[in-house]
Amino acid sequence: MEDGYQNRTAFIKGAKDIAKEVKRQASKKVGRSVDRMTDEYSMRSYSRFEEDDDDDYPTQGSQDGGYYRGDSQAANEDEGGHSDSTEGHDEDDEIYEGEYQGIPRADSGKGSLAGGPESVRAGAQEFRDVGVSEAVRRKDQEELAQQYETILQECGHGKFQWSLYFVLGLALMADGVEIFVVGFVLPSAEKDMCLSEPNKSMLGLIVYFGMMVGAFLWGALADRIGRRQSLLISLSINSIFSFFSSFVQGYSTFLFCRLLSGVGIGGSIPIVFSYYSEFLAQEKRGEHLSWLCMFWMIGGIYASAMAWAIIPHYGWSFQMGSAYQFHSWRVFVLVCAFPSVAAIAALSAMPESPRFYLENGKHDEGWMILKQVHDTNMRAKGYPERVFSVTTIKTVKQMDELVDTGTDTPVWQRYRLKIMSLSRQIRNNILACFNPEYKRTTFMLMAVWFSMSFSYYGLTVWFPDMIKYIQKQEYESHTKYFHNERVEHVTFNFTLENQVHRQGHYFNDKFLNLKMKSMVFEDSVFEECYFEDITSTHTIFRNCTFIASLFYNTDLFKYRFVDCKLVNSTFLHNKEGCMLDFSDDFNNAYMIYFVSFLGTLAVLPGNIVSALLMDKIGRLRMLAGSSVISCVSCFFLMFGNSESGMIALLCLFGGISIASWNALDVITVELYPSDKRTTAFGFLNALCKLAAVLGISIFQSFVGITKAVPIIFAAGALAAGSFLATKLPETRGQVLQ
C-alpha cells in the first residue's frame, strides 16, 4: 500500500506538470480561452484527486522487506495495487484519465479543448507515459540491485560459480587462441599461398578487424537477447569459420574465413565478464573475475604448445595433386577451434543470467535460476536441507518490447520489423552510454582502453619482430659473396644458401634437385644451363641474361626474375603453388613458438597478484599502479640488443601489464548498469581492437630503424592511461548496478 500511495502522489505531481505542458501547446492552437479552460480542468482534477487521496490512502507504518517467505504479499505492490476509490463505481462515475491532464471528455460538451488537435492529446499522453515509466524503471533498478546482492549472499559462492568459471573460461581461452593463430601460421601460409608483403600484413591484421566488429555487435545484442544466447551464437560462428579456414585453398577465401572467425570470437570478452559478474557477490567479484582472466593466458599457452607440436612436422599433411594441399599448419588451425567447440558444448548446460531476466521483467525465470544456484551450492557444502527463502524478486518495468505484428503479416515482413525494432533498441542503448549520467565515465574509459591497447599490442608485436630482425642481422652477417666467377660444365646437386653472386658467367651447367635459400644472382649470364626440380625461398635473379636455357619442374616463377633477359629459354611443367619445407626453418619455427610460450607464461605471476589484491587495494590502485610500472619498464627496452635480452624484456612487460588489464576489465563491468553493461563493454573492446591495429601498424614500421620512437609512444600512452585511470570512480565494495 505504501508503494501505491507514493505512486499516486507522483502521479498527481505529474498531472500538474502535464497540465502546464498541454496548456502551453494548446494555447498556440485555440487561443486564450482554452488557457482558462485548461486551468479550470487541471485544478478541478487535482482537487478531486487530493480528496480521494485523503480518504483512501491513510499514512501507513513501516514494514519489513517483502521478498522472503511470509512477506510475499508486500512485494511488488506497485504492480498489483489499485485505487479503492474506484471500487463499486459505475462507468459514468469513473474519473476520466484525461481529466488528470486538464483535458475534458470528448463527449462532455463543456469546452472546445476536447475537439482540439489530436496531436496535442497524443503528445501529452506520450510525455506523461515516458516520464512516469522512466522514473519507475530507475527506482525498480535501484531496488533490484540491492535485493539481488542480498540474494547472492544467501546463495553463497560454491560449486555453481566454479562450474560456470570453467565453462566461461573455455570461451575466454578461445579468444586467447584466436589472437595467436594467424601469427603462428603466417610463416607457413605465406609460402603455401605465395603471399606478397601487403597480403601478409592484411592477414596479420584481419583478425583484429573481425574482433572489433564482433565485440561491438555481440556486446550490444547481449543486452537485448541475453548473455548466454549471444555467446552461443558468437562461439558457433567462430567454430564454423575456423573449421572452414583450415580447408580453403585460396588467399581470399582464407582471409574471409578468418575475418568471420574473428567476428564470432569478438563477443567473448564483453559477454564473458558481464555474464560471470552477475553470479558473483560484491566481496568475491574482483578476485574471481581476475582468476577468470587466467584462461586468456591458458589460451596463449595452448596455441603455442600446439604450434610447437604440429606445424614443424611437415609429414602431417596430404595433397591431391598440386591443386589441393593440406599441410601441417592447417591441422594446427583445425586444432585451435577445439576450445570454442568445447565452450559451446559446456555452455549449453548452463542457464541464462538471472539478472538479465529480472531486468527484462521475467520474474519466474530469474527466480528459478537463483534457486538453482542456491540449491547447487548448498548440496555441495553438505546442507541440502536449506531452503531458498526468497519468494518474490523485484523486476524492472519495461519501456519497450519487440514488435508484435500479428499472424496476418507475412513472415519476411515480421522478421524485418523485428530486426528494425531490435536495431533501434541497440542504437538507443549505445547512445544511452553517452547520456549525461555516464558521459564522463564513458569518455574516460575510452581514453584508458585506447592508450593501454595501443601500447600493449604495439609492443607485444614489436618484440617478436625485433627478435626476427636481430636474427636476420645475424644471418646476413654470414653471407658469402662471389664476384666475376666463371663456372663451366659443373653439376650443382646440393643446397645453395645465403650467397650473393655478381657478374658471374655460367656455361653448360646443371642445377639438379636442389634447394636455393636466400640466393641472389646479379648481372650474371647463364648460357645453355639446365634447371630441374628446383625449390627456392628468398631467391632472386636481378639483371641477368639466360641464353638457350631450360627450366623443368621448378618454382622459379616470373617474379623471381627482375629486369632479366630470356633468350631462347623455355619453362616446362612449372610447379604450382608454393612448396613448404621445414627442414631449413626447423630451429627458427621452434624459436618463435618458444618465445610466445614464455611471453604468455610470464603473465601468470601478474594474474595471481592481481587476483589476490584486487578486492584489498581496489581497482583504481591496481590499474594506475600497474600502468605506471609498465611505463617505467618500457625504458629498459633500450638495453635489448640480443635475442635473450628481448625475450626477458617481453616477459617483464607482459607480467606487469596484465594486472592493468584485469583491473580494467573489472572496473568496466562495475561502472555500468545491467541493461547497458555488455553494450558498453563491447563498444570499449571494439575501440581496444582499433587501437591494437593502429599500434601494430605504427610500431612495425620502426623495426630496424629506431627503438626510440616505439618506446616513447608506448611510455607516453601508458603514462596518459595511468593518469586518466585515477579520475575514474572506485567500485570496490559497491553492489552491481
Side-chain angles (χ1 to χ4, degrees):
M1 292 295 290
E2 185 176 2
D3 287 342
Y5 177 76
Q6 292 175 353
N7 287 343
R8 192 72 171 261
T9 304
F11 190 84
I12 295 170
K13 186 178 182 300
K16 293 193 294 183
D17 294 337
I18 295 301
K20 295 178 182 178
E21 176 66 13
V22 172
K23 182 180 71 174
R24 186 183 66 80
Q25 295 183 16
S27 63
K28 299 178 181 178
K29 301 290 184 180
V30 296
R32 295 186 177 181
S33 60
V34 177
D35 295 346
R36 292 193 296 270
M37 186 181 302
T38 305
D39 287 335
E40 177 185 350
Y41 276 105
S42 61
M43 293 303 297
R44 185 178 62 190
S45 62
Y46 174 59
S47 301
R48 184 173 180 181
F49 214 144
E50 282 193 318
E51 291 173 4
D52 291 344
D53 205 59
D54 293 338
D55 294 338
D56 299 327
Y57 288 89
T59 305
Q60 299 182 16
S62 61
Q63 297 181 4
D64 296 333
Y67 48 84
Y68 289 97
R69 294 190 184 276
D71 297 320
S72 60
Q73 294 180 352
N76 284 350
E77 208 166 39
D78 58 323
E79 297 179 12
H82 60 275
S83 173
D84 295 337
S85 63
T86 62
E87 292 184 1
H89 287 200
D90 295 330
E91 289 186 9
D92 294 338
D93 295 333
E94 291 179 357
I95 300 174
Y96 170 54
E97 186 176 8
E99 209 166 331
Y100 302 140
Q101 306 171 34
I103 304 175
R105 293 178 184 267
D107 57 349
S108 65
K110 294 183 180 181
S112 61
L113 187 59
E118 288 293 334
S119 59
V120 175
R121 293 197 297 273
Q125 178 69 22
E126 183 180 358
F127 183 83
R128 184 194 65 125
D129 290 345
V130 171
V132 174
S133 297
E134 182 62 34
V136 172
R137 181 177 175 83
R138 180 65 61 86
K139 180 174 180 292
D140 290 347
Q141 287 177 325
E142 293 174 356
E143 293 179 4
L144 173 60
Q146 296 294 334
Q147 184 184 356
Y148 193 80
E149 181 63 35
T150 305
I151 295 173
L152 287 179
Q153 297 285 349
E154 180 180 343
C155 293
H157 188 92
K159 180 180 178 180
F160 183 91
Q161 280 85 355
W162 284 111
S163 300
L164 185 63
Y165 169 80
F166 287 105
V167 171
L168 296 181
L170 288 173
L172 200 60
M173 178 179 171
D175 182 272
V177 170
E178 190 74 17
I179 292 291
F180 290 93
V181 168
V182 173
F184 287 158
V185 304
L186 190 56
S188 305
E190 67 172 308
K191 298 177 182 178
D192 197 4
M193 299 180 181
C194 300
L195 299 182
S196 62
E197 288 299 326
N199 286 343
K200 287 192 293 183
S201 300
M202 178 55 67
L203 187 58
L205 295 176
I206 195 66
V207 64
Y208 291 99
F209 285 114
M211 295 175 77
M212 178 176 64
V213 175
F216 187 83
L217 173 64
W218 302 116
L221 279 176
D223 276 332
R224 303 307 308 173
I225 67 175
R227 282 78 162 110
R228 176 178 174 272
Q229 185 175 354
S230 297
L231 188 57
L232 281 172
I233 297 173
S234 66
L235 290 174
S236 298
I237 292 175
N238 172 253
S239 301
I240 291 170
F241 286 98
S242 292
F243 176 81
F244 285 156
S245 68
S246 66
F247 291 96
V248 297
Q249 294 294 300
Y251 166 75
S252 299
T253 51
F254 182 77
L255 194 70
F256 178 74
C257 287
R258 294 317 304 179
L259 173 65
L260 292 185
S261 175
V263 170
I265 202 61
S268 177
I269 289 180
I271 299 175
V272 162
F273 285 102
S274 301
Y275 189 6
Y276 194 47
S277 69
E278 292 169 354
F279 286 92
L280 299 172
Q282 65 181 31
E283 71 273 6
K284 298 285 187 179
R285 194 181 308 126
E287 176 185 351
H288 287 269
L289 286 177
S290 298
W291 288 125
L292 185 63
C293 294
M294 292 187 66
F295 277 92
W296 197 93
M297 174 199 73
I298 295 173
I301 293 175
Y302 173 84
S304 302
M306 291 298 101
W308 196 341
I310 296 174
I311 294 180
H313 296 281
Y314 184 65
W316 292 18
S317 62
F318 68 90
Q319 63 184 43
M320 299 170 61
S322 59
Y324 187 88
Q325 302 175 4
F326 192 88
H327 297 301
S328 56
W329 68 268
R330 297 181 181 274
V331 178
F332 167 72
V333 173
L334 189 62
V335 169
C336 285
F338 289 172
S340 186
V341 175
I344 294 171
L347 189 61
S348 300
M350 303 307 294
E352 178 58 83
S353 165
R355 184 65 178 269
F356 171 78
Y357 278 143
L358 296 172
E359 290 281 349
N360 287 274
K362 299 180 179 180
H363 173 273
D364 294 345
E365 293 89 339
W367 183 88
M368 288 295 295
I369 295 171
L370 288 170
K371 183 179 184 300
Q372 177 186 351
V373 175
H374 174 274
D375 294 346
T376 301
N377 289 341
M378 292 303 107
R379 285 195 299 268
K381 293 178 180 180
Y383 305 107
E385 70 282 358
R386 290 190 179 178
V387 179
F388 186 51
S389 62
V390 179
T391 57
T392 308
I393 308 174
K394 189 69 177 178
T395 56
V396 178
K397 179 178 177 61
Q398 300 306 294
M399 294 189 64
D400 51 18
E401 296 290 342
L402 291 177
V403 177
D404 184 8
T405 58
T407 57
D408 296 335
T409 308
V411 175
W412 67 269
Q413 189 172 355
R414 290 205 300 268
Y415 279 109
R416 184 178 68 85
L417 291 174
K418 288 183 178 181
I419 291 173
M420 290 176 60
S421 176
L422 182 62
S423 301
R424 184 171 59 254
Q425 294 168 14
I426 290 173
R427 181 197 63 190
N428 293 338
N429 224 22
I430 294 170
L431 294 177
C433 296
F434 294 91
N435 284 345
E437 183 178 359
Y438 303 106
K439 184 176 181 179
R440 181 179 181 275
T441 297
T442 300
F443 280 115
M444 296 292 288
L445 281 173
M446 286 174 62
V448 175
W449 274 89
F450 187 91
S451 61
M452 286 189 56
S453 180
F454 178 82
S455 58
Y456 177 81
Y457 285 101
L459 284 180
T460 51
V461 174
W462 183 74
F463 275 118
D465 285 348
M466 281 299 299
I467 293 174
K468 292 178 184 177
Y469 177 74
I470 293 173
Q471 291 176 338
K472 182 180 178 181
Q473 284 186 316
E474 177 68 19
Y475 183 78
E476 290 178 348
S477 66
H478 297 90
T479 301
K480 296 179 180 179
Y481 294 88
F482 300 87
H483 296 272
N484 298 317
E485 61 179 351
R486 184 176 181 86
V487 182
E488 299 179 355
H489 310 292
V490 175
T491 299
F492 296 88
N493 55 5
F494 49 87
T495 299
L496 300 176
E497 180 180 359
N498 200 18
Q499 299 176 8
V500 176
H501 297 260
R502 294 193 177 105
Q503 298 177 348
H505 189 93
Y506 303 88
F507 178 77
N508 196 25
D509 295 322
K510 295 181 179 180
F511 299 83
L512 304 176
N513 194 26
L514 60 82
K515 299 172 185 176
M516 294 183 177
K517 181 180 179 182
S518 300
M519 293 292 295
V520 177
F521 295 90
E522 294 181 344
D523 303 316
S524 299
V525 177
F526 295 84
E527 185 176 357
E528 298 182 11
C529 293
Y530 181 71
F531 298 82
E532 182 179 354
D533 290 330
I534 305 297
T535 301
S536 60
T537 56
H538 305 293
T539 296
I540 192 168
F541 297 87
R542 185 179 293 111
N543 198 27
C544 295
T545 301
F546 294 85
I547 303 173
S549 297
L550 176 65
F551 298 84
Y552 182 85
N553 194 30
T554 71
D555 63 356
L556 299 176
F557 305 114
K558 290 184 178 180
Y559 69 87
R560 298 193 185 277
F561 300 91
V562 180
D563 298 328
C564 293
K565 296 179 181 180
L566 299 173
V567 180
N568 296 328
S569 297
T570 306
F571 291 84
L572 297 176
H573 300 289
N574 281 350
K575 295 180 179 180
E576 296 182 9
C578 302
M579 303 295 108
L580 290 178
D581 189 347
F582 286 98
S583 59
D584 296 325
D585 297 329
F586 190 76
N587 293 329
N588 289 337
Y590 273 125
M591 176 59 69
I592 294 172
Y593 311 141
F594 181 67
V595 169
S596 298
F597 176 82
L598 288 180
T600 308
L601 188 63
V603 306
L604 178 61
N607 267 319
I608 295 175
V609 171
S610 64
L612 295 178
L613 298 181
M614 189 70 70
D615 287 321
K616 292 182 173 61
I617 68 174
R619 287 76 162 125
L620 293 188
R621 290 181 180 177
M622 180 68 69
L623 174 57
S626 177
S627 297
V628 169
I629 299 175
S630 299
C631 176
V632 174
S633 69
C634 287
F635 292 99
F636 289 99
L637 299 177
M638 298 298 298
F639 304 101
N641 297 319
S642 63
E643 287 185 40
S644 57
M646 293 301 295
I647 293 173
L649 290 172
L650 171 63
C651 295
L652 175 65
F653 180 77
I656 295 173
S657 60
I658 193 63
S660 300
W661 283 109
N662 293 356
L664 188 58
D665 290 334
V666 174
I667 202 171
T668 302
V669 164
E670 296 177 334
L671 280 176
Y672 290 94
S674 293
D675 62 335
K676 302 177 182 65
R677 182 168 296 123
T678 57
T679 299
F681 206 132
F683 170 75
L684 293 169
N685 199 252
L687 182 67
C688 163
K689 297 304 185 289
L690 176 62
V693 172
L694 293 176
I696 292 171
S697 302
I698 293 174
F699 281 46
Q700 280 183 329
S701 63
F702 290 100
V703 172
I705 299 176
T706 179
K707 291 182 181 179
V709 175
I711 291 173
I712 292 173
F713 279 175
L718 288 170
S722 60
F723 172 76
L724 294 173
T726 60
K727 306 299 181 181
L728 291 169
E730 177 60 75
T731 58
R732 180 179 55 159
Q734 296 182 6
V735 298
L736 199 63
Q737 296 184 53

